[in-house]
Amino acid sequence: MAEHTSSNITIEAAPAEVMGVIADFARYPEWTGEVKEAEILATDDRGRAEKVRLVLDAGAIKDDHTLAYTWTGEDEVSWSLVKSQMLRVLDGSYRLASLDGGARTEVTYQLTVDVKIPMLGMIKRKAEKVIIDRALAGLKKRVEGGPTAPGAAGTPSDEAEKH
């Protein structure tokens, strides 16, 4: 089984508000550092994205790929790679947990990346961690509307878990 990297962050907003930002793929280039373009290719009967084309520039990983999304209730979305120029695997998920009666949300982001070109596992996991930490910090800033400096309270931990 492939190893994955995960991290979490607490956001000062209700889970529905957080998921609203996560589900708004058209705006990803505004708040994610790595996503340069996002195009929804297919939606489900509730209007949620089922297939999305993303142009990614994450330093060592640059790609134009398509992901298939699966929505589980109102608090989880996962994705898997449909096609890619550079990647063999890009599986991940956002899981939301309500805190303080819905006033805050704990967001857990899990990601597994495998590239078609040879890359040391250590470098691959570092790239995964950078993608996750930037995505979580960007999500927090986007939802809360305030600055999120590296190392500020509530930013992703410096130790992402490796499973």
Side-chain angles (χ1 to χ4, degrees), residues 7-15 17-18 22 94-109 132-133 135-149 152-157:
S7 189
N8 57 36
I9 195 168
T10 300
I11 296 178
E12 301 295 325
E17 186 178 350
V18 175
I22 291 169
Y94 280 110
R95 284 191 321 269
L96 310 184
S98 179
L99 302 173
D100 300 330
R104 299 169 48 213
T105 304
E106 181 180 53
V107 180
T108 301
Y109 186 167
I132 288 172
D133 286 353
L136 287 174
L139 178 63
K140 181 178 178 69
K141 183 177 179 182
R142 181 69 175 198
V143 173
E144 294 180 357
T148 303
T155 57
S157 65

Side-chain angles (χ1 to χ4, degrees), residues 1-2 19-20 35 38 40 72 75 91 114 133-134 149:
M1 184 175 203
M19 189 57 81
V35 176
I40 297 172
T72 305
D75 60 357
D91 296 337
D114 194 12
D133 286 353
R134 285 185 184 165

Side-chain angles (χ1 to χ4, degrees), residues 52-125:
V52 179
R53 177 184 159 264
L54 298 164
V55 175
L56 180 76
D57 184 350
I61 300 174
K62 294 177 177 26
D63 197 29
D64 183 337
H65 57 264
T66 302
L67 301 176
Y69 285 83
T70 302
W71 302 86
T72 305
E74 302 300 316
D75 60 357
E76 184 173 348
V77 60
S78 58
W79 56 90
S80 59
L81 188 65
V82 174
K83 70 177 184 174
S84 169
Q85 297 172 349
M86 183 179 178
L87 303 172
R88 200 178 334 226
V89 175
L90 182 62
D91 296 337
S93 66
Y94 280 110
R95 284 191 321 269
L96 310 184
S98 179
L99 302 173
D100 300 330
R104 299 169 48 213
T105 304
E106 181 180 53
V107 180
T108 301
Y109 186 167
Q110 180 175 302
L111 188 66
T112 302
V113 178
D114 194 12
V115 293
K116 292 178 180 176
I117 59 169
M119 182 181 282
L120 291 173
M122 180 179 75
I123 294 171
K124 184 174 66 170
R125 283 186 296 281

